[in-house]
Amino acid sequence: MENSVSPTVISRRRALTAAGGVLAGAALAAHAAPAFAAGSSDADAIVVGGGLAGLVATAELAAAGRKVLLLDQEPETNLGGQAFWSFGGLFLVDSDEQRLMGIKDSRELAWQDWLGAAGFDRGVGDPAGQDHWARKWAEAYVDFAAGEKRSWLYGLGVRWFPIVGWAERGGGLADGHGNSVPRFHVTWGTGPAVVEPFEKRVRAAVADGKVTFRFRHRVDEIVRTGGAVTGVRGAVLEPSTAARGKASSRTVAGDFELRAPVVIVTSGGIGANHDLVRQNWPARLGSPPKFMVTGVPAHVDGRMLGITEAAGGRIVNPDRMWHYTEGLRNYDPIWANHGIRILPGPSSMWFDATGKRFSAPDLPGYDTLHTLKSITDTGYDYSWFVTTQKIIAKEFALSGSEQNPDLTNKDVWMLLSRIWQTPEPIEKFKKNGVDFVVASTLSELVTGMNKLTGDGLIDLADLKRQIDARDREIDNPYTKDVQVMGIRNALAYTGDSLSRTAPIHKILDAGAGPLIAVRLNILTRKTLGGLQTDLSGRVLDATGTAIPGLYAAGEVAGFGGGGVHGYRSLEGTFLGGCLFSGRQAGRAAAAAI
């Protein structure tokens, strides 16, 4: 099937994305300069966006001796973009860390898993197909993850926590969605440690005169002259002292125009723009939630998608997206409507808003988008974990570098303290978070759950019946409960038994308490579609022809090719996609100049 997205959805999407760019460009048209003169330039390349992909591309250009202007609408405090806030998870295949944990992985197994997750079905064999370049990027990325990715990063000083995590387990068939083995490598130092080596390289290039930062420069137009990209125009925003992640002013202080034979767009996705998320929401995921929490800062607004489309770039797979189902409202928000994701272990029981237990594969950590559809099908935009203190102490982790001070600060003693106590960030959310209910009895828990939502949907007798049924399955090593099987499977992996899975026990075991219910909100995060690019990162137009001088990398390009993940992610692949696509685009652009 070439395209399951209706023309109406695409046109709405284009209208919205273009609104941020085309209209902004029109506002500047009255005083914009004529088209740039051939042969005149301010740099060899302009990179639009100072996130991870932009830093990697800039570092590669500078290493090749090219002069680069790195533009970002945000102040310098936001250098590194979303990657700074990340948990630092990276998808690696047959790594030293996996072998240390006794994990047998291979490029072939990883490619099988990737294809099962991606489900590429939109003109893979057709050069004009939406998935044609996406699949080529996917194969190249799996080769990278199984090849030089680790050694390249290791040579730059990146290190990893030795226990490999097992994300997106799938819960289906061998050739279906999910990771067959643990592949989620947590960077020692989390997201900031992934950003650090590239920021250092770029800052060194600044000191050498090869790179110039232009913060508070908002691009409103990509300029083409004679068919080729020749630079950008936009607005200079007033200076801002906003802290990292905080919204900054959009007051215009002036305008600019900059010339270069190459422009690389690395501006991110649409996750903070809920209007765009809802406009592109596919029917296969049910109805868009009325309420969502936001997993990315406000500047992740999708503007450059419309601006690049106006310059001739083709947007593909706009309906593919990745949102989490385990979002918490941050009691101490950094950006508006700030959401934090629980990265759960396998033991919490998962119920819909009415108190009905989800079935496989809607289990914690198994199939994110299938569970998202199951939640939206209920007609409610939230669900529940019912769990115990014993489970959250061992199994709950929170997304975000700021929520993991032990890993982020490389504090071994604090990390070891997880063995005998619940991590402090979890306890703070349990105490201060509006989504937590803590009780000593199930009756008190249900009362608290109904009070929290005001819906009165949870029936005590029915909830107890379901929990008792699950608890009876713990009494012997045989079971028909898929989740209980999964817990035992997790405990067979040394990494999970050491750090991510609590000893199996009954939910209503008084010794494991108190009981805890967690209201889970939908959390916006990643754009899986985007600008279609070839393997050099060159942006393609509607005919499949590369636009001279125009490149894209990172989330704005669907992490490569306009959708390297297809329909689903295997996790640990977003940072990796920024690294790989930024490197590809930077090297190819340097060679082309």
Side-chain angles (χ1 to χ4, degrees):
M1 183 172 87
E2 162 57 22
N3 186 356
S4 63
V5 188
S6 73
T8 301
V9 172
I10 291 179
S11 63
R12 288 178 179 173
R13 188 229 169 281
R14 287 176 174 168
L16 282 164
T17 54
V22 177
L23 295 181
L28 294 173
H31 51 269
F36 304 144
S40 173
S41 64
D42 298 294
D44 295 318
I46 294 170
V47 177
V48 182
L52 181 60
L55 288 173
V56 174
T58 300
E60 294 293 338
L61 285 160
R66 308 298 183 253
K67 289 193 174 183
V68 187
L69 294 175
L70 178 55
L71 279 57
D72 200 295
Q73 67 180 355
E74 297 305 308
E76 188 170 357
T77 50
N78 280 282
L79 194 64
Q82 298 177 63
F84 178 90
W85 298 106
S86 74
F87 195 40
L90 291 171
F91 178 93
L92 297 173
V93 178
D94 194 24
S95 68
D96 292 357
E97 290 75 19
Q98 285 176 303
R99 290 192 290 271
L100 180 66
M101 298 304 299
I103 300 164
K104 295 182 180 181
D105 199 6
S106 68
R107 186 266 178 202
E108 292 72 27
L109 183 61
W111 183 232
Q112 172 180 296
D113 288 348
W114 196 287
L115 288 177
F120 295 122
D121 61 1
R122 296 176 177 174
V124 172
D126 179 359
Q130 294 192 78
D131 279 340
H132 179 74
W133 287 104
R135 191 186 188 281
K136 288 181 180 294
W137 270 92
E139 189 163 13
Y141 179 71
V142 172
D143 288 343
F144 177 61
E148 64 174 312
K149 180 180 179 181
R150 186 187 183 280
S151 61
W152 175 60
L153 292 172
Y154 193 92
L156 293 171
V158 181
R159 300 293 184 267
W160 297 274
F161 184 57
I163 297 177
V164 183
W166 196 355
E168 283 295 298
R169 306 183 188 207
L173 301 176
D175 58 354
H177 171 58
N179 286 294
S180 297
V181 297
R183 297 191 178 103
F184 190 81
H185 296 65
V186 177
T187 301
W188 186 234
T190 66
V194 178
V195 172
E196 181 181 14
F198 302 100
E199 182 178 346
K200 282 184 175 179
R201 290 176 69 190
V202 170
R203 289 194 182 279
V206 171
D208 289 343
K210 294 178 181 176
V211 174
T212 302
F213 287 132
R214 295 289 179 92
F215 297 106
R216 303 298 284 158
H217 279 57
R218 186 188 69 196
V219 172
D220 296 320
E221 180 186 1
I222 295 172
V223 177
R224 293 181 68 173
T225 305
V229 165
T230 51
V232 296
R233 296 191 182 107
V236 179
L237 305 180
E238 69 177 359
S240 172
T241 58
R244 183 184 290 275
K246 295 288 187 180
S248 62
S249 164
R250 291 294 179 262
T251 300
V252 174
D255 56 77
F256 71 89
E257 57 182 61
L258 295 167
R259 304 168 177 84
V262 161
V263 173
I264 305 180
V265 180
T266 59
S267 55
I270 67 173
N273 189 332
H274 288 199
D275 287 338
L276 279 181
V277 169
R278 291 190 177 95
Q279 284 293 332
N280 289 290
W281 192 276
R284 66 177 178 275
L285 293 181
S287 299
K290 295 179 181 178
F291 175 79
M292 298 180 285
V293 291
T294 307
V296 293
H299 57 77
V300 186
D301 55 14
R303 289 183 71 257
M304 285 304 300
L305 281 163
I307 292 166
T308 311
E309 186 179 41
R314 182 190 185 197
I315 295 172
V316 295
N317 302 311
D319 62 313
R320 291 180 182 168
M321 52 186 69
W322 188 259
H323 306 302
Y324 290 112
T325 51
E326 313 98 333
L328 302 174
R329 298 174 221 220
N330 195 345
Y331 66 89
D332 186 19
I334 296 170
W335 52 80
N337 195 31
H338 187 179
I340 295 291
R341 184 202 174 199
I342 297 172
L343 285 73
S347 302
S348 297
M349 295 186 71
W350 206 336
F351 297 89
D352 69 16
T354 69
K356 180 182 177 182
R357 187 185 180 193
F358 288 119
S359 58
D362 302 330
L363 307 172
Y366 277 72
D367 190 332
T368 295
L369 292 193
H370 192 283
T371 307
L372 177 58
K373 173 62 160 56
S374 295
I375 292 170
T376 58
D377 281 349
T378 68
Y380 297 90
D381 49 22
Y382 68 92
S383 60
W384 291 101
F385 275 168
V386 173
T387 189
T388 68
Q389 181 68 35
K390 190 173 184 177
I391 290 172
I392 74 163
K394 188 75 174 284
E395 298 192 7
F396 275 27
L398 299 175
S399 64
S401 53
E402 81 283 9
Q403 299 297 332
N404 295 275
D406 48 358
L407 291 164
T408 301
N409 298 325
K410 304 180 182 180
D411 189 325
V412 176
W413 177 253
M414 184 182 291
L415 181 65
L416 290 174
S417 72
R418 294 188 183 215
I419 297 172
W420 63 82
Q421 65 181 10
T422 307
E424 184 179 9
I426 300 291
E427 281 298 318
K428 284 185 175 179
F429 261 93
K430 192 180 80 172
K431 178 182 178 181
N432 302 312
V434 298
D435 295 307
F436 281 75
V437 179
V438 182
S440 56
T441 68
L442 187 61
S443 176
E444 293 172 355
L445 191 76
V446 169
T447 298
M449 294 165 73
N450 284 329
K451 181 179 179 182
L452 179 62
T453 64
D455 293 333
L457 296 173
I458 308 298
D459 178 76
L460 172 60
D462 191 49
L463 190 70
K464 186 175 187 304
R465 175 190 62 78
Q466 295 174 87
I467 295 174
D468 282 341
R470 179 267 188 198
D471 281 357
R472 290 188 192 100
E473 301 288 311
I474 307 302
D475 287 333
N476 61 72
Y478 313 107
T479 181
K480 67 178 181 181
D481 190 292
V482 174
Q483 184 176 10
V484 175
M485 292 180 192
I487 296 168
R488 290 178 175 147
N489 190 40
L491 289 170
Y493 166 48
T494 303
D496 272 352
S497 63
L498 285 174
S499 67
R500 293 290 287 141
T501 306
I504 196 164
H505 61 275
K506 297 182 178 182
I507 297 294
L508 297 182
D509 178 357
L515 290 168
I516 300 165
V518 188
R519 177 178 56 187
L520 305 172
N521 309 280
I522 307 303
L523 180 143
T524 63
R525 185 59 66 85
K526 294 299 179 186
T527 311
L528 298 187
L531 297 168
Q532 191 171 41
T533 60
D534 65 12
L535 286 174
S536 294
R538 299 183 301 174
V539 176
L540 307 180
D541 64 17
T543 70
T545 303
I547 299 173
L550 186 58
Y551 296 74
E555 190 174 354
V556 75
F559 302 94
V564 68
H565 298 92
Y567 287 95
R568 288 182 173 89
S569 166
L570 289 174
E571 291 285 29
T573 55
F574 299 130
L575 290 178
C578 289
L579 292 168
F580 184 56
S581 62
R583 192 177 83 151
Q584 290 286 96
R587 291 183 177 182
I593 297 171

